[in-house]
Amino acid sequence: MKILLISLGASLGALSRYYLAEVLNKLTFINLPIGILSVNFIGCFILGLLINSLDPKLEHIFNPLLFIGFLGSFTTFSAFSRETIDLISSGNIILASSYILLTVFSCLLGTWCGMLITKYS
């Protein structure tokens, strides 16, 4: 059952990441890979919301489905790394550095804000 839940969550997370990142990348007017940056922030924010919201009695379902499966494939360190290397390779060191800082801090902020919101709900 656990493998099925992980597989279901992962397939939905990967498809969601792909389509959302594609849409967001088409809306941007700067050279920053805003699609994956946004996806990673949103995923971390959702993680923060869910940490305090889910019933611990159902952890055996939520952990494989949502945390490992969906959010594990929705957020992506590999795409972040590839896009950073692409920026560095094209000579955009300052933009690459900005992307790294924005990604790390926005993801931490997203998780913290999500946890804060649900802590007092």
Side-chain angles (χ1 to χ4, degrees):
M1 180 67 160
K2 189 180 215 179
I3 299 300
L4 180 63
L5 291 170
I6 292 169
S7 299
L8 176 62
S11 62
L12 294 173
L15 290 170
S16 298
R17 177 189 69 234
Y18 173 76
Y19 286 114
L20 184 58
E22 286 292 309
V23 167
L24 293 173
N25 280 335
K26 289 178 184 173
L27 299 176
T28 187
F29 298 103
I30 56 175
N31 203 16
L32 195 67
I34 198 75
I36 294 300
L37 174 66
S38 300
V39 162
N40 284 334
F41 171 78
I42 292 166
C44 289
F45 181 72
I46 292 169
L47 171 71
L49 288 174
L50 294 176
I51 284 174
N52 291 325
S53 300
L54 299 177
D55 185 352
K57 295 175 190 168
L58 299 174
E59 185 177 333
H60 66 284
I61 295 172
F62 291 133
N63 191 49
L65 178 67
L66 297 177
F67 294 122
I68 297 170
F70 185 82
L71 291 174
S73 67
F74 182 71
T75 59
T76 175
F77 199 77
S78 59
F80 159 72
S81 298
R82 187 196 77 234
E83 290 172 344
T84 302
I85 295 298
D86 288 346
L87 288 170
I88 293 168
S89 296
S90 65
N92 291 317
I93 304 299
I94 293 174
L95 197 56
S97 300
S98 299
Y99 184 52
I100 291 166
L101 290 172
L102 274 170
T103 298
V104 171
F105 288 115
S106 69
C107 289
L108 291 171
L109 180 66
T111 302
W112 181 75
C113 286
M115 290 175 69
L116 195 62
I117 288 169
T118 57
K119 184 177 183 178
Y120 299 108
S121 297

